Amino acid sequence: MMKYHNFQLDWNINNIKDFNDALDIFDSWAESGAVTGEDVRVKDVIKNQDPDLYDRLSRGDKCRVGKAVSNRYEKHMYSGIVRGNDKGATKTYRKS
């Protein structure tokens, strides 16, 4: 597997509708009252609600959704969730 050490994520979204739908799914999960107590990836949340949507996202859009969630988290837009343990470069989140 080739590694790209100088990879720079841009915001040239391939499919804006799917990107927004994926972000909406995570937002709904973050706002729901159910407490999971376990670390989940953005991927896990989206695949749980709409596996076909996640599979339709391009590789870049999957990264962009994760980065958008991370940016929102850092701007304190999600109350009730905390960052979990990282899985490699992937951030995880947990409902507290």
Side-chain angles (χ1 to χ4, degrees):
M1 179 176 192
M2 183 182 268
K3 301 277 183 177
Y4 297 96
H5 297 289
N6 295 324
F7 175 74
Q8 293 286 324
L9 182 65
D10 59 43
W11 290 100
N12 296 325
I13 297 167
N14 292 313
N15 185 322
I16 191 70
K17 182 186 178 323
D18 285 349
F19 174 87
N20 285 330
D21 288 348
L23 204 49
D24 287 346
I25 287 172
F26 189 87
D27 291 349
S28 294
W29 173 81
E31 293 172 7
S32 72
V35 176
T36 63
E38 62 185 59
D39 292 356
V40 294
R41 300 170 294 181
V42 174
K43 171 185 178 176
D44 300 328
V45 173
I46 297 167
K47 282 193 103 153
N48 184 43
Q49 294 298 312
D50 191 343
D52 294 332
L53 171 63
Y54 187 81
D55 292 339
R56 282 194 314 268
L57 291 170
S58 69
R59 178 178 174 258
D61 282 354
K62 289 173 183 174
C63 293
R64 290 177 191 98
V65 170
K67 185 63 176 175
V69 166
S70 182
N71 287 346
R72 288 179 174 197
Y73 177 83
E74 290 170 4
K75 292 179 181 177
H76 308 286
M77 294 177 71
Y78 298 123
S79 60
I81 66 170
V82 294
R83 197 164 267 162
N85 296 317
D86 292 349
K87 293 184 178 180
T90 303
K91 302 289 185 207
T92 66
Y93 301 90
R94 176 181 347 108
K95 291 212 174 177
S96 55

